Amino acid sequence: MSPRPPPTLEDSLREMFPEEWLRQTAKETGLIKRERKIDPVIIFWVLTLSFGVRLQRTLSSLKREYETESHKTISDSSWYYRFTPELVEFLHQCVIHGIEELAKEPGRKLSKKLENFQDIVIQDSTIVRLHSSLSDKFPAARARTVAAGVKVGVMVSAVANGPKTVALYSEKSAEIKTLKIGPWIKDRILLVDLGFYKTQMFARVEENGGYFVSRIKKNMDPVVVSIEEGMPKTKCKDFIGKPISECIKQLSGKDIDAVVKIAFKRREYKGKQKQDEMNVRLVAVYNDEDEKHHIYITNIQKEILNAKDIANLYGARWDID
């Protein structure tokens, strides 16, 4: 038997971007609401494989290429009106997916408990000092003398074992503004410290099909919806509607797994800011060394990770960093 020829670049790309993934991503980004004349799979490959040096370089030539590949004739408007912000977002998600696939180490996978998640990602940032001559363009946030600096926002991937994204911001930028949540978070776990704590952000993670684990702010005292573990069932109903702090005081030295309600404000829209609320899982794990509870919030179900698993997962943040 003659040896099989090595895979071509096109073969590798088609394995990296399966048809099912492309169609799902097209729907999630709003590129395709109802598939009619424009097929998201064909438009992806036409734009990927036909655009470049000495290839198709105009919209009209790309349209002809699309018609050849799809065996359909389409109107100019059907083609030109497809070049929208939704197409940009679709291609952006494809680039992110491609980088993730290339970055994966051979055989590197999450543990069995986490096998249903695609990745664990951590967002963090640090300040890099620049020469003072750059203070006009990159002013320092807190400095008694003339100084310059930038904030470097980094997202680290456990699967890729390295940076997923790196971006530069003004040193004055709040931590939360260096983290943009979108469809990319689906089936991924985001670990963040208190600098990124914002219920509005947690809601966006959940709405995009992602998961989060965070320490809870000291001034937060959410209301108990239910106690899942940590006390006898006969006493659980006594804490419904009360602040979680009361529950923790009465169960000193024990781990607590509860569902709590957190109120927050949605992003401002047309000058108005809507009040909202969400239920999250609250895990309070007693630390013998510190002699106090370490409290976390998450939307990962307890059937997947128990209370100590959540604490260990958040603790692994430092290993991944």
Side-chain angles (χ1 to χ4, degrees):
M1 292 180 63
S2 58
R4 293 179 62 185
T8 64
L9 175 59
E10 183 173 342
D11 291 334
S12 299
L13 285 171
R14 290 190 182 280
E15 184 177 349
M16 186 181 295
F17 297 98
E19 181 176 320
E20 183 180 350
W21 185 89
L22 289 171
R23 292 192 187 282
Q24 183 62 29
T25 304
K27 290 179 181 177
E28 291 174 355
T29 56
L31 174 64
I32 299 295
K33 293 182 175 63
R34 290 175 294 176
E35 290 185 25
R36 290 183 176 177
K37 291 187 177 181
I38 300 297
D39 187 306
V41 176
I42 298 176
I43 195 173
F44 172 79
W45 291 117
V46 166
L47 295 178
T48 301
L49 302 178
S50 301
F51 185 84
V53 179
R54 297 182 181 177
L55 296 175
Q56 313 296 336
R57 303 182 67 180
T58 65
L59 290 180
S60 57
S61 60
L62 287 170
K63 174 176 175 286
R64 288 193 294 272
E65 183 69 18
Y66 180 92
E67 290 175 330
T68 299
E69 294 296 325
S70 65
H71 306 292
K72 292 181 180 179
T73 300
I74 57 175
S75 65
D76 288 345
S77 60
S78 294
W79 177 251
Y80 293 135
Y81 290 165
R82 190 58 59 186
F83 289 78
T84 61
E86 287 77 16
L87 175 61
V88 174
E89 180 59 26
F90 169 70
L91 295 175
H92 177 68
Q93 294 304 319
C94 291
V95 170
I96 290 175
H97 177 74
I99 291 173
E100 288 178 342
E101 291 298 306
L102 290 172
K104 286 181 180 177
E105 294 182 5
R108 185 176 176 85
K109 296 180 180 179
L110 298 177
S111 67
K112 188 169 182 60
K113 279 192 174 183
L114 300 169
E115 63 184 0
N116 291 325
F117 301 101
Q118 285 196 29
D119 200 357
I120 299 173
V121 293
I122 297 167
Q123 180 77 12
D124 211 344
S125 61
T126 187
I127 302 298
V128 176
R129 283 279 159 254
L130 305 177
H131 192 276
S132 59
S133 61
L134 296 172
S135 59
D136 288 345
K137 291 187 177 181
F138 304 100
R142 293 181 292 275
R144 295 180 180 179
T145 59
V146 176
V150 292
K151 179 171 286 187
V152 182
V154 180
M155 180 169 287
V156 179
S157 160
V159 170
N161 195 29
K164 176 183 171 71
T165 61
V166 179
L168 300 180
Y169 302 89
S170 163
E171 186 178 337
K172 296 180 178 180
S173 298
E175 297 276 65
I176 190 65
K177 291 189 177 180
T178 68
L179 176 59
K180 298 186 184 301
I181 301 300
W184 65 267
I185 195 65
K186 185 179 180 181
D187 296 328
R188 292 169 174 81
I189 301 175
L190 173 66
L191 306 182
V192 291
D193 65 17
L194 293 178
F196 296 90
Y197 189 99
K198 195 169 186 180
T199 309
Q200 185 186 101
M201 184 270 287
F202 298 140
R204 283 186 57 77
V205 170
E206 189 166 86
E207 288 160 2
N208 280 278
Y211 300 85
F212 60 85
V213 180
S214 171
R215 293 286 290 268
I216 194 169
K217 283 188 173 181
K218 289 183 178 179
N219 63 345
M220 295 294 292
D221 197 9
V223 171
V224 174
V225 174
S226 65
I227 303 293
E228 303 299 309
E229 290 181 9
M231 68 168 58
K233 291 184 178 180
T234 54
K235 292 186 178 181
C236 289
K237 60 182 181 180
D238 296 336
F239 289 95
I240 307 302
K242 294 182 179 178
I244 190 65
S245 58
E246 291 189 26
C247 182
I248 291 174
K249 283 178 184 177
Q250 294 195 33
L251 293 170
S252 180
K254 294 183 179 180
D255 295 346
I256 302 167
D257 203 329
V259 174
V260 298
K261 183 182 295 184
I262 299 178
F264 67 102
K265 291 182 179 180
R266 289 284 181 178
R267 286 190 295 182
E268 188 172 317
Y269 179 71
K270 293 185 177 180
K272 296 181 180 180
Q273 204 167 20
K274 183 182 175 182
Q275 289 281 352
D276 207 341
E277 58 185 28
M278 67 182 294
N279 289 351
V280 299
R281 181 182 172 201
L282 183 145
V283 171
V285 177
Y286 191 78
N287 186 284
D288 294 322
E289 189 176 328
D290 295 342
E291 296 184 342
K292 65 178 183 180
H293 283 89
H294 289 180
I295 307 174
Y296 310 88
I297 59 170
T298 183
N299 63 336
I300 301 174
Q301 299 89 342
K302 65 183 180 69
E303 291 77 17
I304 298 175
L305 296 177
N306 62 34
K308 281 191 166 52
D309 289 333
I310 294 294
N312 290 335
L313 176 61
Y314 190 83
R317 179 178 183 277
W318 304 108
D319 295 329
I320 301 172
D321 274 344

